[in-house]
């Protein structure tokens, strides 16, 4: 809810109305003692009504224009970079604050306008403080409008979108890995229990997140062990088993699972990577034919991989007081690398520049990730890239470039210098 497009504007409108009511009361108290000279509005009752009415009507039109610009930006991003990237726009607090600033100023001005008498002969009450605050909010709205136009023009740029999605991927990797480990924890197989109860899904949808702390606390309090059959990002069907519990099931387990209509990047590492891959795949389509964007995506995917040089993927086993209380499936390094490179390799096999950049990214990743198991995974993908690129590349110049990149990858994997200081990545020559 906090990341939705409507929450912040609605909150700002409510706060603006409350501020207007408070301002009217303050003006009412100042009416008897006389407001300070700096707060006196010289325009009279008619001038105040005209000014407030003009501010409200003009900013209401500006708010409509802002909303239209936002929808247009979402449409452009959805058509060019994929519908799943719309989440990045709707979660952008800058868009919500901009829209809330205009709507809040309109709501504030209308509330103040309601306290101004329609006939100056009825009363001489003028909300001096309220009028000046309306003017202040109007100037702030103008500044926000200038910034919003700049922000929208920047946010629909493909480089900005790739960088934003890359940041989401790195944040997800940070929360789903363990600091200080250069290798991944061994993957666990589901245990074979003799006595177990089954927990069924309460509704269908994507598993967005799992509250592991609450689930472990629940297991400890009931003296049970829970084995989840699903992980974040899986699509769950209603009344299908989602967990085993031994010796018997307890209430509250479904409440620890957040199920929604779409996948999110909260705990889903592969979905965060897949959003970047979608940008590259669309860029390599015949309709767009933009290999440069695909190469930019590969650079950011490589940066995400390198960030794992001192972090390890968890195995999904949670213990309390020496006893296993929760086992849940977790993504593996091999699956993450497949998600990052498989589809781009399949779409980009006819683009030598893309395949060359993929080999360069794999080389730099192998220089940083010294774990033999991880390098074995990277070696598999480097072999696939090299083989498929040669099959679809006819020019000898491009074939020679592919050969040099591949041999550089092999030399990095066989470099003995990594044994001297395995905690630091090897220097890799990028330019020829």
């Amino acid at each position: 809810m906090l990341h939705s497009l409507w929450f912040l504007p609605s909150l700002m409108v409510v706060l603006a109305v409350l501020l207007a009511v408070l301002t009217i009361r303050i003006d009412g108290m100042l009416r008897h003692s006389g407001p300070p000279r700096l707060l006196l509005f010289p325009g009279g009752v008619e001038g105040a009504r005209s000014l407030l009415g003009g501010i409200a009507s003009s900013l209401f039109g500006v708010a409509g224009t802002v909303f239209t610009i936002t929808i247009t930006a979402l449409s452009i991003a959805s058509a060019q970079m994929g519908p799943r990237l719309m989440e990045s726009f709707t979660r952008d607090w800058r868009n919500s604050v901009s829209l809330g600033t205009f709507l809040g100023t309109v709501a504030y001005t209308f509330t103040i306008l309601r306290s101004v008498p329609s006939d100056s002969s009825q009363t001489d009450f003028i909300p001096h403080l309220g009028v000046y605050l309306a003017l202040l909010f109007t100037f702030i709205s103008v500044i926000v409008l200038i910034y919003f136009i700049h922000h929208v023009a920047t946010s629909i740029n493909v480089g900005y979108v790739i960088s934003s999605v890359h940041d989401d991927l790195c944040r997800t990797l940070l929360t789903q890995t363990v600091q200080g480990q250069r290798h991944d924890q061994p993957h666990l197989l589901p245990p074979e229990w003799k006595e177990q109860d089954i927990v069924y899904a309460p509704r269908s949808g994507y598993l967005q997140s799992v509250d592991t702390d609450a689930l472990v606390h629940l297991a400890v309090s009931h003296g049970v062990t829970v084995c989840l059959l699903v992980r974040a990002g899986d699509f769950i069907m209603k009344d299908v088993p989602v967990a085993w519990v031994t010796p018997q099931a307890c209430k509250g387990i479904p409440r620890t699972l957040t199920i929604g209509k779409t996948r999110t990047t909260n705990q889903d590492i592969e979905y965060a990577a897949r959003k970047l891959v979608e940008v590259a795949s669309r860029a390599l389509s015949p309709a767009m034919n933009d290999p440069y964007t695909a190469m930019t995506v590969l650079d950011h995917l490589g940066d995400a991989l390198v960030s794992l040089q001192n972090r390890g993927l968890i195995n999904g086993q949670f213990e309390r007081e020496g006893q296993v209380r929760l086992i849940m499936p977790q993504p593996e390094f091999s699956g993450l690398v497949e998600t990052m490179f498989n589809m781009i390799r399949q779409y980009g096999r006819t683009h030598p520049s893309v395949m060359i950049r993929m080999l360069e990214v794999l080389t730099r990743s192998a220089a940083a990730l010294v774990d033999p198991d991880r390098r074995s995974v990277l070696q598999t993908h480097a072999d696939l890239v090299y083989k498929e690129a040669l099959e679809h590349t006819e020019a000898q110049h491009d074939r020679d470039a592919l050969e040099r990149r591949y041999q550089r990858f092999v030399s990095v994997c066989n470099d003995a210098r990594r044994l001297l200081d395995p905690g630091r990545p090897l220097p890799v020559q990028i330019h020829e």
Side-chain angles (χ1 to χ4, degrees):
M1 183 176 66
L2 293 176
H3 298 294
S4 59
L5 189 61
W6 62 268
F7 178 76
L8 277 178
S10 301
L11 179 62
M12 294 176 70
V13 167
V14 173
L15 294 178
V17 172
L18 294 178
L19 177 62
V21 173
L22 177 63
T23 303
I24 292 173
R25 292 196 174 187
I26 294 176
D27 276 315
M29 292 185 294
L30 293 177
R31 179 184 180 184
H32 302 289
S33 59
R37 178 172 297 181
L38 292 176
L39 294 180
L40 286 175
F41 180 71
V45 174
E46 292 297 332
R49 288 191 63 85
S50 300
L51 178 62
L52 293 173
I55 292 175
S57 59
S58 59
L59 285 182
F60 194 80
V62 170
T65 303
V66 168
F67 185 76
T68 303
I69 293 175
T70 303
I71 297 300
T72 303
L74 292 177
S75 301
I76 294 174
S78 176
Q80 294 185 354
M81 292 168 279
R84 275 154 290 278
L85 292 177
M86 292 181 65
E87 177 188 359
S88 302
F89 288 90
T90 56
R91 293 178 57 183
D92 193 341
W93 62 270
R94 302 172 189 83
N95 297 332
S96 299
V97 170
S98 299
L99 185 59
T101 300
F102 302 128
L103 294 180
T105 303
V106 171
Y108 173 86
T109 305
F110 274 132
T111 306
I112 296 295
L113 183 61
R114 182 175 176 272
S115 67
V116 180
S118 58
D119 188 357
S120 59
S121 61
Q122 297 177 1
T123 177
D124 58 351
F125 174 69
I126 299 176
H128 299 278
L129 178 60
V131 172
Y132 278 113
L133 283 180
L135 284 172
L136 175 62
F137 292 152
T138 301
F139 289 127
I140 294 176
S141 298
V142 172
I143 297 174
V144 171
L145 177 61
I146 297 173
Y147 169 77
F148 178 75
I149 294 175
H150 163 76
H151 175 65
V152 170
T154 303
S155 61
I156 62 177
N157 180 276
V158 65
Y160 178 88
V161 174
I162 292 174
S163 179
S164 299
V165 180
H166 165 261
D167 292 341
D168 286 342
L169 174 58
C170 291
R171 281 193 295 267
T172 308
L173 286 173
L174 187 65
T175 59
Q176 300 301 307
T177 53
V178 181
Q179 174 69 27
Q181 295 187 8
R182 300 191 185 99
H183 58 84
D184 304 314
Q185 297 179 358
H187 184 65
L188 298 177
L189 296 176
E192 295 182 0
W193 292 328
K194 296 181 179 180
E195 297 181 1
Q196 61 189 23
D197 275 353
I198 300 177
V199 178
Y200 297 91
R203 59 185 180 276
S204 60
Y206 287 98
L207 181 60
Q208 296 178 342
S209 62
V210 179
D211 190 345
T212 55
D213 293 335
L215 195 51
V216 171
H217 177 75
L218 189 65
V220 171
S221 60
H222 289 81
V224 300
T225 300
V226 181
C227 178
L228 287 180
L229 305 177
V230 293
R231 71 184 189 192
D234 290 343
F235 184 82
I236 299 176
M237 301 179 183
K238 185 178 180 181
D239 297 330
V240 170
V242 293
W244 295 337
V245 185
T246 183
Q248 61 183 4
C250 55
K251 295 182 179 180
I253 292 179
R255 289 197 295 268
T256 63
L257 309 178
T258 303
I259 302 175
K261 296 181 180 180
T262 59
R263 298 175 69 173
T264 65
T265 58
N266 295 334
Q267 298 178 357
D268 192 352
I269 299 176
E270 292 184 357
Y271 178 63
R274 199 176 297 276
K275 289 168 66 176
L276 273 176
V277 173
E278 182 177 10
V279 177
S281 301
R282 285 176 171 265
L284 293 174
S285 65
M288 297 187 64
N289 194 23
D290 181 14
Y292 181 77
T293 296
M295 295 164 64
T296 304
V297 170
L298 287 171
D299 290 337
H300 286 80
L301 290 175
D303 180 72
L305 276 182
V306 171
S307 68
L308 295 177
Q309 58 181 315
N310 292 317
R311 306 191 68 88
L313 296 172
I314 61 177
N315 59 9
Q317 178 174 296
F318 299 85
E319 300 180 0
R320 287 294 185 274
E321 299 178 355
Q323 184 173 355
V324 177
R325 290 300 183 181
L326 173 63
I327 300 175
M328 56 185 297
Q330 293 291 329
E332 297 179 335
F333 182 79
S334 59
L336 176 61
V337 176
E338 287 181 0
T339 302
M340 288 181 171
F341 298 110
N342 269 1
M343 191 173 292
I344 301 179
R345 187 191 75 248
Q346 294 162 4
Y347 280 99
R349 63 182 62 179
T350 58
H351 296 270
S353 58
V354 175
M355 304 301 272
I356 289 173
R357 180 59 61 87
M358 192 178 300
L359 284 174
E360 292 175 347
V361 169
L362 289 172
T363 301
R364 299 171 71 180
S365 300
L369 304 177
V370 298
D371 179 61
D373 294 333
R374 290 180 169 181
R375 284 195 168 180
S376 177
V377 173
L378 298 178
Q379 177 75 60
T380 300
H381 285 270
D383 294 342
L384 288 172
V385 172
Y386 178 61
K387 179 181 178 181
E388 294 189 17
L390 287 182
E391 291 177 355
H392 295 84
T393 302
E394 297 181 358
Q396 188 61 41
H397 176 79
D398 295 335
R399 296 173 68 91
D400 293 341
L402 287 167
E403 176 68 26
R404 290 193 299 271
R405 289 346 187 265
Y406 179 73
Q407 292 302 325
R408 187 178 299 165
F409 173 87
V410 173
S411 64
V412 166
C413 290
N414 297 331
D415 197 326
R417 288 179 297 170
R418 68 182 180 87
L419 300 177
L420 301 177
D421 188 7
R424 298 182 65 85
L426 290 174
V428 178
Q429 182 179 356
I430 302 175
H431 306 286
E432 295 186 347

